[in-house]
Amino acid sequence: MVAAYHHDHVFVPIQDAERAADLLIALASRAKTTMDEEEKKLARDVDASEEDAAAAWDSLAPLHVERVVDHSKPTFTVPFEIDSKQFVIQQDCEGRRRPAFDKDNNTEKDEDLTEFDSKTGAVLWDGAVVVAGVLERASTMAKSDEFRNQLNPRNKVCVELGCGCSALPGLAATALGASRVVLTDMDVIIQSNALQQNLKRNLDEDLVKDISCVSYEWGTEPLPSDMSGAQLILAADCVYDIALVEPLLHSIEMLMNESARRSSDCVALVAFDTSIGRHKAYDLFEAHAKKRFLVELLGHQDGIMRGDLSTDAVRAYVLAKPTYQE
């Protein structure tokens, strides 16, 4: 048989159709072998180390984004200016790439929730770092300063919503002299080894014993008794899903109302990193928050934010209610 090749085409005499078919089968087999080898090579390339995988995940963010926290590392160190204190936060980089729950067993939940694709709270985000820096700055301001009165955690009952495995705002509040700290999140986070390790790594044993860790889903009524008496509510990087904005705000409002019944003042410090790109959720939060609370956007000009622990992408707000509303 005489066969001619031209690029990816094979030309044979029509009378040799049977032999041509055999030739095509052989060529197809060779092509499949080549593709299999390429797929195996690709699989080896994808099977990178944990740090490489975390870095690849982060590369999905816009290339121009400036970040404080490095998600390619298993730990991140947050320096404090007071007494040269520093927090070493362990990140669950592998857990971040797994869902917190599956759709089959959670059909009542909004199918667009991030937790179906990735366990939120597994790593530290910039909003939490900003909140920690704000708490530190507030603790050092003049006693007459409004921000000090509102945001200094010393001798206050502090409740953190969505603490994540890092619980950095709660750690900072504890180190700065809060009278009681309550960390809340989904049960999968509260029971995680990473959270417990971050508490033990960064605080003395006596302080760890004084922290309450409570499983709590935003919007749930009634509030757990451990969350009562809040004077400072902390919520870092909790604004990302549209479906969770209203439950988050409702929990903040319930905590403030419960404190008001005790004749206790209560404000919330809420921060989130807009570089993640959940702009509809951010806009919804701002619109609904302004309907319920007095809202103040913090800025560097207020002297309350540390430049080395913040970026322009992070927005930090103080929420307060002027009067108790039943």
Side-chain angles (χ1 to χ4, degrees):
M1 181 184 73
V2 178
Y5 295 86
H6 179 65
H7 297 299
D8 56 349
H9 299 283
V10 180
F11 300 93
V12 298
I14 192 169
Q15 63 268 27
D16 292 323
E18 184 175 344
R19 295 183 65 189
D22 291 340
L23 176 60
L24 290 173
I25 291 173
L27 290 172
S29 178
R30 187 172 66 182
K32 184 179 185 303
T33 300
T34 301
M35 291 178 63
D36 289 344
E37 291 177 352
E38 291 179 350
E39 287 180 357
K40 289 179 181 178
K41 182 178 183 300
L42 179 60
R44 289 195 297 269
D45 292 341
V46 172
D47 188 20
S49 66
E50 179 175 300
E51 292 186 8
D52 291 340
W57 183 286
D58 256 11
S59 69
L60 296 175
L63 295 178
H64 67 276
V65 169
E66 178 188 1
R67 287 253 170 87
V68 175
V69 180
D70 184 353
H71 289 156
S72 70
K73 305 297 182 183
T75 61
F76 183 78
T77 301
V78 182
F80 253 30
E81 294 174 338
I82 299 177
D83 299 329
S84 300
K85 170 72 176 176
Q86 65 179 19
F87 298 98
V88 180
I89 302 299
Q90 175 184 333
Q91 303 191 96
D92 185 7
C93 299
E94 179 61 31
R96 180 189 176 194
R97 296 188 292 278
R98 295 192 302 267
F101 44 71
D102 60 80
K103 294 185 179 182
D104 292 339
N105 296 326
N106 292 273
T107 54
E108 77 282 359
K109 295 183 181 295
D110 190 301
E111 63 179 11
D112 292 327
L113 291 180
T114 299
E115 280 82 1
F116 284 124
D117 300 313
S118 172
K119 185 173 79 173
T120 57
V123 297
L124 180 65
W125 293 91
D126 286 3
V129 178
V130 168
V131 168
V134 167
L135 296 180
E136 182 193 27
R137 279 288 172 86
S139 70
T140 62
M141 286 183 159
K143 293 183 178 180
S144 59
D145 192 283
E146 178 184 6
F147 287 128
R148 176 187 172 91
N149 294 331
Q150 290 182 324
L151 303 177
N152 180 10
R154 180 170 294 279
N155 299 324
K156 286 188 174 71
V157 176
C158 300
V159 175
E160 183 175 1
L161 298 174
C163 65
C165 292
S166 71
L168 178 59
L171 286 171
T174 302
L176 292 168
S179 61
R180 183 162 63 91
V181 171
V182 183
L183 304 177
T184 75
D185 210 314
M186 298 182 298
D187 191 62
V188 67
I189 296 293
I190 293 299
Q191 300 299 328
S192 69
N193 180 63
L195 173 59
Q196 295 305 315
Q197 289 301 315
N198 279 325
L199 296 181
K200 294 175 182 178
R201 183 197 301 255
N202 292 287
L203 297 173
D204 293 336
E205 185 177 350
D206 291 341
L207 292 177
V208 173
K209 291 179 180 179
D210 292 336
I211 294 177
S212 300
C213 296
V214 179
S215 298
Y216 176 68
E217 186 172 329
W218 301 336
T220 302
E221 299 185 49
L223 291 168
S225 58
D226 285 347
M227 297 171 65
S228 64
Q231 296 166 290
L232 179 57
I233 304 165
L234 307 172
D237 302 302
C238 294
V239 180
Y240 48 88
D241 281 341
I242 291 176
L244 296 179
V245 169
E246 180 59 28
L248 174 64
L249 289 172
H250 185 53
S251 291
I252 292 173
E253 188 168 39
M254 284 193 294
L255 285 165
M256 288 185 178
N257 287 346
E258 194 277 337
S259 294
R261 284 192 284 269
R262 297 167 174 260
S263 299
S264 177
D265 293 332
C266 180
V267 300
L269 175 57
V270 182
F272 48 83
D273 184 356
T274 62
S275 71
I276 300 171
R278 304 298 183 88
H279 297 292
K280 290 184 178 179
Y282 310 148
D283 293 343
L284 186 66
F285 170 83
E286 291 175 350
H288 284 217
K290 290 176 181 177
K291 293 178 181 179
R292 297 184 177 201
F293 310 102
L294 296 175
V295 180
E296 183 169 4
L297 176 64
L298 300 180
H300 291 281
Q301 70 278 4
D302 300 312
I304 193 70
M305 299 176 72
R306 283 180 52 179
D308 61 327
L309 294 185
S310 63
T311 70
D312 292 338
V314 175
R315 298 179 194 170
Y317 300 86
V318 176
L319 310 183
K321 298 196 76 171
T323 56
Y324 168 61
Q325 298 175 0
E326 190 68 53

